[in-house]
Amino acid sequence: MQKIIILDFGSQTTQLIGRRVRELNTFCEILPYNRFPTDDADVIGVILSGSPLSVNQSDAFRLCFDNLRGKYPLLGICYGAQLMADTFGGSVQRSDTREYGRATLSWLNASDPLLAGIDVGAQVWMSHGDTITCLPSGFCAIASTSTVANAAYRGADEEQLWGVQFHPEVFHTLCGKQLLENFVVGICGSRQDWSAAHFVDTTVAELREQVGTELVILGLSGGVDSSVAAVLLHRAIGNKLTCIFVDHGLLRKNEYAEVMSLYEGLGLNVVGVDASAKFYAELAGVTEPERKRKIIGKGFIDVFEAEALKISDARWLAQGTIYPDRIESMNITGKVIKSHHNVGGLPAKMNLKICEPLRWLFKDEVRRVGRQLGIPERLISRHPFPGPGLAVRILGDITPEKVHILQEADDIFIRALREWATDDGDVLYNKVWQAGVVLLPVQSVGVMGDERTYEQAVALRAVTSTDAMTADWAHLPYDFLSHVSNEIINRVQGVNRVCYDISSKPPATIEWE
Ligand code: XMP
């Protein structure tokens, strides 16, 4: 499979470069800047990412270009462009004018293949404190802005080497998609054959090869990743896969039954375990958020293990780990941090091998593969939901009564989001990243009929986001909020006040705990 290698110098937008390349139906791998795979015959081009560092810093990340220059088409982005200019004899200096945010290309060489289809006036997004003041000999500028002479450059004619000081991967570089397509398809020659259908076919074949006739277990959460992993495995090995779905009693109203029936409809062999009583008992009286999380995390592993050990001849533990969970990312000191997700000590205890069929996919690709596999849209487009469930939305101690109140209020809110039509014919649910209700440890005075009440307050939370790293509160219509507030107060016994959380992240977080 043809692939583009993206060498990561620690930029916050490196993953975005990867996603853009994948959107061009081209496979890519993101690797730490110093781990270029010299023996991989499938590589068709290399992109060097940006970085929070300056090439003039004594501890800047440097690169040996012996295996790259002249061997593959190269595209440097921001730091990547500055690093190539600096390494090959040019000069990079701190810029006197700020080069952040929106800019437009004031001149460009329209005949350069990197800029095909891009016109003067195109909007680009800059984010750099250094600038290339002098290009290496044989290099030439191919685009400028009013303040950045070498906004884009190319190497000598015989070598396929380009640099751009702006960020083509971000949304605000409106010509970025075209530029990346020019590089990946036009210059590197991608056949654009990486697609959901292709992924399903090759992965099913690989899984059959990898797992053979051995038994596999997998923990389902009701979320998209584990569901898609399960259906993919089921397509490959059928009933050799057993799924375990643990109900910790902190799911949404009716969620356990609904998700179980969706899974069964998909033909999966699912063992459902209602462990709510155990979790309520262990959580009784606990108010500290991190303790709640620990108790739930450990309890989940205990229940999962007990079920998994019953399938004593299982040889594999499958997980819904996706690519962003695995990318070895660097912090600014250059230390490589590798994250890996395991279900407790189970793999060692049962001598299980790990199988991660989605390990190459970004989240949006997981959804596309899910659709390709025929998984119902209701499962595919579900909002993210935290592992500890409603526990992090009940401030203070957790009781079954509080869970019940929250489930009822949450159900009204989510149902309304799913039903409320927007101007473009979609529904509000699809316009927000995530939504839910928070039960506050606050009681307040109200009046219902002729009676004075003293009942709970709840907060509605709905945010827009693309990755949960940052989020804005969703600007839901007033008449929608009014409808939900009335419904909750009229129908949920014990609640007499509804607030709407209008905090963004940062400085707030999406969840309240
Ligand atoms: P915050 O509250 O940190 O949430 O802005 C970011 C995203 O992570 C989810 N979240 C969790 N997911 N276990 C999880 O599996 C947790 O303990 C947890 N805490 C927060 C949250 O719902 C949001 O999508």
Side-chain angles (χ1 to χ4, degrees), residues 453-472:
T453 61
Y454 191 60
E455 293 180 336
Q456 298 285 139
V458 297
L460 309 181
R461 182 70 164 143
V463 296
T464 54
S465 177
T466 50
D467 51 14
M469 302 291 286
T470 58
D472 192 11

Side-chain angles (χ1 to χ4, degrees), residues 290 293 383-389 392-393 433-434 461 463 467-471 505 508-513:
E290 284 314 303
R293 279 198 167 78
H383 289 164
F385 186 66
V392 293
R393 297 182 183 167
W433 165 266
Q434 189 169 356
R461 182 70 164 143
V463 296
D467 51 14
M469 302 291 286
T470 58
K505 172 185 180 175
T509 49
I510 296 175
E511 305 294 347
W512 277 44
E513 279 197 343

Side-chain angles (χ1 to χ4, degrees), residues 351-513:
N351 203 12
L352 293 177
K353 297 172 271 188
I354 300 284
C355 168
E356 294 175 325
L358 309 181
R359 66 192 179 285
W360 290 112
L361 301 189
F362 288 104
K363 191 85 180 183
D364 44 340
E365 293 177 307
V366 175
R367 292 206 162 95
R368 263 187 273 156
V369 167
R371 290 190 184 103
Q372 178 73 28
L373 288 164
I375 299 178
E377 195 57 33
R378 203 174 165 85
L379 243 179
I380 301 278
S381 58
R382 300 181 105 205
H383 289 164
F385 186 66
L390 300 180
V392 293
R393 297 182 183 167
I394 296 176
L395 276 61
D397 68 324
I398 294 166
T399 63
E401 296 71 35
K402 288 185 185 175
V403 173
H404 177 71
I405 290 178
L406 184 54
Q407 281 178 333
E408 294 297 320
D410 177 81
D411 184 55
I412 289 171
F413 186 33
I414 299 298
R415 219 181 259 270
L417 283 166
R418 282 195 185 280
E419 286 166 5
W420 199 274
T422 55
D423 289 344
D424 61 4
D426 205 348
V427 287
L428 276 180
Y429 184 88
N430 294 333
K431 303 288 181 192
V432 304
W433 165 266
Q434 189 169 356
V437 179
V438 183
L439 186 65
L440 305 182
V442 171
Q443 286 183 302
S444 74
V445 174
V447 55
M448 275 187 183
D450 291 332
E451 299 281 319
R452 175 187 184 277
T453 61
Y454 191 60
E455 293 180 336
Q456 298 285 139
V458 297
L460 309 181
R461 182 70 164 143
V463 296
T464 54
S465 177
T466 50
D467 51 14
M469 302 291 286
T470 58
D472 192 11
W473 60 279
H475 294 220
L476 297 176
Y478 280 177
D479 49 353
F480 170 78
L481 290 170
S482 158
H483 163 76
V484 172
S485 166
N486 282 339
E487 286 283 295
I488 291 178
I489 292 174
N490 286 331
R491 303 214 337 236
V492 184
Q493 279 216 347
V495 175
N496 68 353
R497 195 172 292 268
V498 175
C499 315
Y500 188 43
D501 179 352
I502 53 168
S503 332
S504 59
K505 172 185 180 175
T509 49
I510 296 175
E511 305 294 347
W512 277 44
E513 279 197 343

Side-chain angles (χ1 to χ4, degrees), residues 8-21:
D8 182 17
F9 290 86
S11 165
Q12 289 192 335
T13 55
T14 303
Q15 280 202 34
L16 215 44
I17 304 173
R19 282 171 54 186
R20 297 286 170 260
V21 174

